[in-house]
Amino acid sequence: MSIRRRFLSALLLGAVALTGSVASAQTQTILNVSYDPTRELYREFNEAFAKHWRETTGKRVNVQQSHGGSGSQARAVIDGLEADVVTLALAYDIDAIAEHAGLLPKDWQGKLPHNNAPYASTLAFLVRKGNPKNIKDWDDLTRSDVQVITPNPKTSGVARWNYLAMWGYALRRELGDDYISKLKNNGTAPEVVAAQQKAQEFVAAIYRNVPVLDRAARGATNTFIQRRIGDVLVNWENEILLGAAELDKAGLEMVIPPVSILAEPVVAIVDRNVDRKGTREVAQAYLEYLYSPVGQDIAGKNYYRPVCPEAAAKYAHQFPALELFTIDDVFGGWHEANRVHFADGGKFDQIYKPSR
């Protein structure tokens, strides 16, 4: 399937379209509510898990999928979308489900290995063929001659990762190689306060170059590829690598910024739903299978960075070597990042001034 068709065909299905084979009355059905770019990953994983479940238990399972912007998906679950499991772009979205709907405990993270993150990713740039604007790094996104396409951080998980990567890069540039130590040990030092102000100005300069904010990653991809708006798309590394073979044909190429953020999508059981539906056993096994050799291999094949050392070594050749910082290192975790940057009236609302 071409990069255009793969990136965009899902748009026809709607934000919470359900997919899955027709289930018989004897088949248990579970719903995985996920974010936009995981369609290919879970299409392959669901088939493998269904086979594994039948071979080990003699039972059949039908896994349905729902995809959309990570924040929008969390709100759909809060509003009644009956997810058995959620596999979202950031921990804060699952925290919101726990806090606002009480569908799972607030201490949900840590109940699965690697803090409930079975794979990781980072960010990459997609530019026009030949890279006519010579875009190489985050600094280039502040230039007045560069239009940047990135989704809305209010609704999209990757958009929040994009924003935080910009901010963290600026802090590293201002504070030097030991920036993480300075941020953790003396966040109120004049040097750090000045660097935070410079970072805000840096990110604001990038968002002045954003002509439109789509709700989710695939919508932003549509804007960049189909509508041909913008000079650079900031998107998931796995999303761009997945279509790498088709980039030249589509008139595109990939650029990897050398410093970025380690994005750790997370997964969780929606406890109240599985207990009401009687699906806890299969839902638990489903998420645990993500950490199995089969699950980790499927993650690597779909250009997610596996957390299992053996799978990580097997697929290391397809990932560029980068300097990666974490959200805990630079922002104090998701709750603090959301409070400072994405809550109403936060830094994002202060810096993003849409054109009228």
Side-chain angles (χ1 to χ4, degrees), residues 44-53 55-56 112 118 282-298:
E44 184 173 356
F45 177 78
N46 291 350
E47 183 178 339
F49 175 72
K51 180 175 182 289
H52 162 77
W53 188 244
E55 288 175 349
T56 57
L112 288 166
V282 64
Q284 180 74 29
Y286 178 80
L287 293 186
E288 290 175 351
Y289 200 58
L290 286 166
Y291 296 88
S292 72
V294 172
Q296 290 290 286
D297 191 67
I298 291 171

Side-chain angles (χ1 to χ4, degrees), residues 4 37 44 48 119 134 145 187 236 241 272 286-287 296 310 326 345:
R4 297 187 184 202
E44 184 173 356
Y119 41 76
N134 195 31
D145 67 326
W236 293 107
L241 286 173
R272 277 178 52 188
Y286 178 80
L287 293 186
Q296 290 290 286
E310 292 79 10
T326 71

